[in-house]
Amino acid sequence: MKILMVCLGNICRSPLAEGILQHKANAAGFNWEVNSAGTGNYHIGEAPHILSQKVALMHGIDISQHKARQFVANDMLIYDLIYAMDNDNYKAIAQISKKNFDAQKTELIMNVLFPNTHTEVPDPWFGTEPDFIKVYQMLDAATDAIIEKYSNK
Ligand code: 4NP
């Protein structure tokens, strides 16, 4: 299964989501490929935010090698599941995907844990370390729910 995590810049939230879920999938023995992308083009080619790298490393996850890239319409065809961090990201995914958009495979990541609540993973770009820790905790819980959901199948 191929899974894509999507935020705005692909430097704060989605690289963390990618790293956490790939780590858990590997530990569970799942043959999953987890990637991430941003709907914006501001940070293409950059490494994850230093605080995303730090909170990941606190949990033994190294995301330092990731390079930011922008979401493209073809991603909608390549990936089996696409998880958006917030409602704006979800709308941007639909706009970029155009005719390729498939609502069946696209979901707000927190909806896996709290169905239909449209809870957002807050953008920590202007925040400090506690904001990144909060993002980590939300993604940790959501990725547990993803692993559990697909463990039962
Ligand atoms: P991300 O955070 O979407 O979680 O990667 C952001 C990173 C950069 C910007 C906004 C959000 N920015 O405006 O440059």
Side-chain angles (χ1 to χ4, degrees), residues 27-135:
F30 294 172
N31 184 25
W32 288 5
E33 180 187 326
V34 188
N35 296 124
S36 64
T39 58
N41 61 4
Y42 321 105
H43 298 280
I44 292 171
E46 292 181 23
H49 191 290
I50 197 70
L51 289 174
S52 286
Q53 293 193 42
K54 184 176 177 181
V55 297
L57 260 191
M58 286 174 180
H59 297 88
I61 301 170
D62 180 0
I63 62 170
S64 64
Q65 296 309 304
H66 180 74
K67 294 277 174 284
R69 76 160 176 95
Q70 191 169 20
F71 180 84
V72 293
N74 202 48
D75 287 325
M76 193 53 66
L77 305 179
I78 291 173
Y79 289 91
D80 302 300
L81 294 170
I82 298 174
Y83 289 113
M85 300 296 123
D86 65 33
N87 291 302
D88 284 347
N89 303 152
Y90 188 98
K91 283 181 216 148
I93 288 167
Q95 282 165 1
I96 293 168
S97 302
K98 299 194 175 73
K99 63 176 174 27
N100 290 347
F101 184 65
D102 183 350
Q104 298 293 331
K105 57 166 86 167
T106 313
E107 181 64 288
L108 269 186
I109 191 167
M110 296 311 295
N111 274 351
V112 182
L113 188 60
F114 306 122
N116 304 314
T117 59
H118 298 276
T119 303
E120 299 188 313
V121 181
D123 179 355
W125 175 242
F126 292 110
T128 56
E129 189 166 328
D131 301 294
F132 284 77
I133 290 172
K134 169 77 177 165
V135 166

Side-chain angles (χ1 to χ4, degrees), residues 7-13 42-43 123-125:
C7 63
L8 175 59
N10 192 212
I11 55 169
C12 298
R13 293 166 292 179
Y42 321 105
H43 298 280
D123 179 355
W125 175 242

